[in-house]
Amino acid sequence: MRLTHPALTGVVDLDVDGPVISRHLYGHFAEHLGRCIYGGFWVGEDSDVPNTAGLRDDVVAALRALAVPNLRWPGGCFADEYHWLNGVGPREQRPTMVNTHWGDVVEDNSFGSHEFLHLCELLGADPYVAGNVGSGTVAEMSDWVEYLTRSGDAPMSRLRQLHGRDEPWRIPFWGVGNEPWGCGGHMTDEQYARLAAQFATYCRDHDGNRLYRIAAGPHRDDYAWTETLMRSVAALGGRRHERGAPWQALSFHYYTLGGSPQKAGSATRFDVDDYHRTMVDAWRMDEIVAGHSRVMDAYDPHAEIGLVCDEWGTWWQVEEGTNPGFLFQQNALRDALVAGVHLDVFHAHARRLVMANLAQTVNVLQAVLLTDGPDLVLTPTYHVFAMNKGHQDATSHPVHVTADDARHESGAGSYRTLTTSVSSHTDASGTGTALVSLTNLDVERPATVTLDLRGRAWTVGAATLLTAPTLQAHNTAADPRAVAPVAFDGARREGTSLVVDLPPHAFATVELALAPA
Ligand code: AHR
């Protein structure tokens, strides 16, 4: 019999620490694609849009409020046709190029390394630079690392100084190519494994900079690719990888396409069956992270090699009248709920999963921000990232589910409709805060989550709700708060349990104050 009111019950031990949820699971991605860089981040110094050295002030302020931990650049597919030397030096002298992947437009290289790293400084975000393996050379990549990170009078450091920057930057994250199985060169796994080791070897640690080199891993659930990379790194480094691995992590990409890889649907004109297919697809992230982790565990039992999902998000048809190569799509409540599911999945896999990057920050795919000339809109997905900010670098506390009847079953598929995660920060005095995130994917029915919180004294603090009358609701310049967070009164304490009554299709967070253990 179908219950009218789905419920999930579980136990959470606040005094038992799970893995730390790296803040880098909340990373973002900015490619030279459509209006992400140009118009999104960069308007140029002469623009009427308020800017700091060409970078939009409103975009920077909105992203600072999210505490963006890292930003991946310059692609994506673009990374493998990007030649960094064309993007440094006086702007008016920089050569142009054709962006063959995205809209076949001419790129004038006015946004290059210096502009990107200035952006990261303004955001307070760590740079994640993706190097060119597909059409670049080992020497070109090696020089770029030297240019960015070496001080003194080495040849590339001198060139950087000539271009106005004396001190090197700190670059923590370095990508060794992108999607080598596709736009990055159509390679086999064996071919790429060799190249990744070769390119990564020459990405040197200069001065005090320590690169965390990320090899380009598989598409979706291609576990064989992961296996080849792990076998190759094990051959070089044995079981303790810090001693011999040329790269420190491998990445994979997974997009939520709503059930059909051939034909993406509309971001805002979809029916309930489309919604169900989307959620089935969103939940596949859990199975895919678990699958790659299993393969990695077999070669790396100490989890020294990180798993990175440096492209994720929904991928819909472009908005009518826009360039098909620009991947500009609206962002509805449905997208926010997909983000709620994915972030819970990432928290659950925090032992192995060290970084994730939503694609892409502004005006492309599942963007957190949309711009139109001087206007800026915060999307529903933005609000999920803002509400979940407290999970960054927090200690996770697994939810031991004791009962869960919240499932959707139909011809469109079957999936869990309730998901939750809990983490905490504790200061030296022993007091702290916990954050509980909850997503109810059910289209029509409210739901109740009951968590028996053990091991610490706690009280319920502020709670916030994100929902809207329809799944298709979205924000525009004319109606920027159609989907926006509001104070929520659905959370209460009953005995030792936190009880949260969620409305249908909603995302919520509840803060708890924790007393010393
Ligand atoms: O994010 C858009 C594109 O999707 C990226 O350039 C590529 O890596 C992926 O296929």
Side-chain angles (χ1 to χ4, degrees):
M1 196 183 79
R2 206 158 179 234
L3 291 173
T4 52
H5 191 115
L8 180 149
T9 308
V11 173
V12 178
D13 296 301
L14 293 170
D15 59 344
V16 178
D17 293 353
V20 169
I21 296 168
S22 169
R23 66 181 181 285
H24 293 295
L25 293 176
Y26 283 80
H28 289 266
F29 170 36
E31 180 166 12
H32 288 239
L33 195 179
R35 294 188 302 111
C36 182
I37 297 295
Y38 299 109
F41 283 107
W42 179 257
V43 284
E45 285 140 347
D46 300 332
S47 172
D48 291 340
V49 179
N51 68 84
T52 301
L55 297 160
R56 283 183 80 125
D57 290 339
D58 54 355
V59 165
V60 167
L63 294 175
R64 278 190 73 87
L66 285 189
V68 170
N70 72 76
L71 188 61
R72 177 174 183 248
W73 172 85
C77 295
F78 182 78
D80 279 304
E81 64 179 359
Y82 183 63
H83 298 284
W84 69 271
L85 262 174
N86 297 339
V88 294
R91 267 188 223 115
E92 59 290 355
Q93 292 171 20
R94 294 183 192 173
T96 59
M97 65 175 281
V98 178
N99 188 337
T100 62
H101 287 292
W102 306 119
D104 211 34
V105 292
V106 173
E107 157 73 52
D108 70 2
N109 277 308
S110 50
F111 187 95
S113 298
H114 291 245
E115 291 77 14
F116 170 65
L117 290 159
H118 186 206
L119 171 63
C120 289
E121 280 166 1
L122 293 177
L123 295 176
D126 283 339
Y128 172 11
V129 177
N132 178 347
V133 171
S135 70
T137 65
V138 176
E140 180 186 20
M141 193 185 288
S142 183
D143 282 350
W144 197 9
V145 174
E146 184 181 307
Y147 181 92
L148 298 177
T149 62
R150 193 177 175 94
S151 58
D153 70 349
M156 289 300 119
S157 336
R158 280 203 305 274
L159 184 61
R160 184 194 64 241
Q161 290 152 13
L162 197 69
H163 293 154
R165 169 84 188 193
D166 286 342
E167 291 307 310
W169 289 278
R170 193 182 73 85
I171 310 288
F173 302 115
W174 195 271
V176 187
N178 173 76
E179 297 193 354
W181 38 265
C183 66
H186 290 103
M187 301 175 204
T188 65
D189 48 0
E190 299 284 353
Q191 254 178 313
Y192 176 72
R194 272 308 319 137
L195 281 182
Q198 186 185 353
F199 273 75
T201 298
Y202 293 94
C203 294
R204 304 291 193 193
D205 287 338
H206 294 285
D207 301 334
N209 193 64
R210 290 285 165 273
L211 286 179
Y212 188 78
R213 301 166 192 79
I214 300 169
H219 183 42
R220 294 170 68 102
D221 58 355
D222 183 355
Y223 305 128
W225 185 286
T226 299
E227 170 119 37
T228 301
L229 280 184
M230 290 306 295
R231 202 178 340 104
S232 76
V233 88
L236 294 165
R239 284 171 78 243
R240 298 309 303 237
H241 300 287
E242 81 273 22
R243 285 200 285 274
W247 42 262
Q248 290 69 48
L250 66 87
S251 72
F252 75 99
H253 294 170
Y254 179 71
Y255 285 98
T256 295
L257 302 163
S260 165
Q262 280 74 41
K263 195 176 176 310
S266 158
T268 53
R269 281 171 287 107
F270 58 88
D271 62 22
V272 170
D273 280 343
D274 294 329
Y275 172 83
H276 293 315
R277 280 190 288 272
T278 303
M279 293 309 161
V280 171
D281 227 23
W283 270 114
R284 280 215 72 207
M285 179 65 96
D286 191 32
E287 173 195 326
I288 288 172
V289 178
H292 291 302
S293 301
R294 263 194 305 276
V295 174
M296 295 175 80
D297 285 346
Y299 291 91
D300 173 30
H302 305 286
E304 288 166 358
I305 302 280
L307 179 62
V308 168
C309 178
D310 53 17
E311 289 186 30
W312 69 270
T314 52
W315 190 314
W316 308 126
Q317 287 164 2
V318 299
E319 293 302 316
E320 238 170 76
T322 65
N323 186 327
F326 281 13
L327 308 187
F328 174 71
Q329 64 189 43
Q330 248 299 350
N331 191 294
L333 177 65
R334 173 177 63 166
D335 299 86
L337 299 178
V338 169
V341 169
H342 280 182
L343 293 170
D344 272 0
V345 167
F346 296 163
H347 300 164
H349 291 281
R351 174 177 179 267
R352 177 66 74 176
L353 195 69
V354 295
M355 188 192 284
N357 300 73
L358 178 65
Q360 300 192 4
T361 326
V362 198
N363 295 333
V364 171
L365 298 176
Q366 191 175 351
V368 289
L369 301 174
L370 303 177
T371 65
D372 185 4
D375 293 330
L376 175 72
V377 167
L378 311 182
T379 67
T381 302
Y382 176 95
H383 295 304
V384 173
F385 272 71
M387 290 163 68
N388 255 12
K389 200 165 67 172
H391 289 301
Q392 292 192 25
D393 283 342
T395 300
S396 62
H397 300 285
V399 177
H400 306 293
V401 175
T402 51
D404 177 7
D405 62 19
R407 272 204 95 73
H408 171 83
E409 312 263 0
S410 73
S414 158
Y415 61 93
R416 287 159 48 203
T417 56
L418 273 177
T419 169
T420 180
S421 56
V422 182
S423 72
S424 71
H425 288 278
T426 301
D427 62 25
S429 72
T431 54
T433 53
L435 183 64
V436 183
S437 297
L438 311 109
T439 309
N440 179 15
L441 299 177
D442 201 291
V443 176
E444 288 169 346
R445 295 177 300 169
T448 299
V449 174
T450 305
L451 299 177
D452 188 356
L453 300 178
R454 300 178 181 167
R456 301 280 298 266
W458 56 272
T459 51
V460 179
T464 309
L465 180 70
L466 186 74
T467 188
T470 68
L471 301 167
Q472 294 79 4
H474 56 277
N475 297 334
T476 59
D479 189 4
R481 292 189 57 81
V483 189
V486 293
F488 177 44
D489 62 4
R492 63 187 181 279
R493 183 174 181 139
E494 276 184 19
T496 59
S497 293
L498 172 71
V499 181
V500 186
D501 291 322
L502 293 160
H505 53 265
F507 174 76
T509 52
V510 182
E511 292 169 20
L512 307 174
L514 302 179

